[in-house]
Amino acid sequence: VKAEISNLKVFPTQVKNELNVSVDENISAVFYDITGKKVKDVQVLSGDHKINISDLSAQIYMVQFKN
C-alpha cells in the first residue's frame, strides 16, 4: 500500500550541493544513479531541511521519497 506524503516541497530542480526539502511528516529520501543503483539514503524529519549531496558526483539522480 502506497501512502501519499503530505505537503512535500523539493527545490531547486538542479542541485549542486544541497537539496531543500519541506514536508509535514518524517520521510526518507533515497537517491539512485542513472543505472538504478542506490547511492544515498537520508532520513528527513518533518519541517524544512537541507540534504547535503556534495558527496555525490555530478550527474543525474532520481530521488524516491518514502514515508
Side-chain angles (χ1 to χ4, degrees), residues 31-49:
F31 292 77
Y32 298 91
D33 66 14
I34 58 173
T35 67
K37 178 182 172 190
K38 181 166 72 168
V39 294
K40 190 174 189 84
D41 192 342
V42 179
Q43 296 299 311
V44 180
L45 302 177
S46 65
D48 297 330
H49 296 278

Side-chain angles (χ1 to χ4, degrees), residues 6-64:
S6 302
N7 296 319
L8 174 64
K9 296 177 187 153
V10 180
F11 56 95
T13 55
Q14 294 184 6
V15 180
K16 200 170 211 178
N17 294 316
E18 292 181 327
L19 178 67
N20 297 292
V21 178
S22 177
V23 66
D24 288 346
E25 60 189 279
N26 297 345
I27 61 170
S28 63
V30 184
F31 292 77
Y32 298 91
D33 66 14
I34 58 173
T35 67
K37 178 182 172 190
K38 181 166 72 168
V39 294
K40 190 174 189 84
D41 192 342
V42 179
Q43 296 299 311
V44 180
L45 302 177
S46 65
D48 297 330
H49 296 278
K50 294 181 185 296
I51 298 175
N52 185 334
I53 60 160
S54 62
D55 57 324
L56 300 177
S57 62
Q59 63 174 298
I60 296 172
Y61 294 94
M62 295 164 278
V63 185
Q64 180 182 30

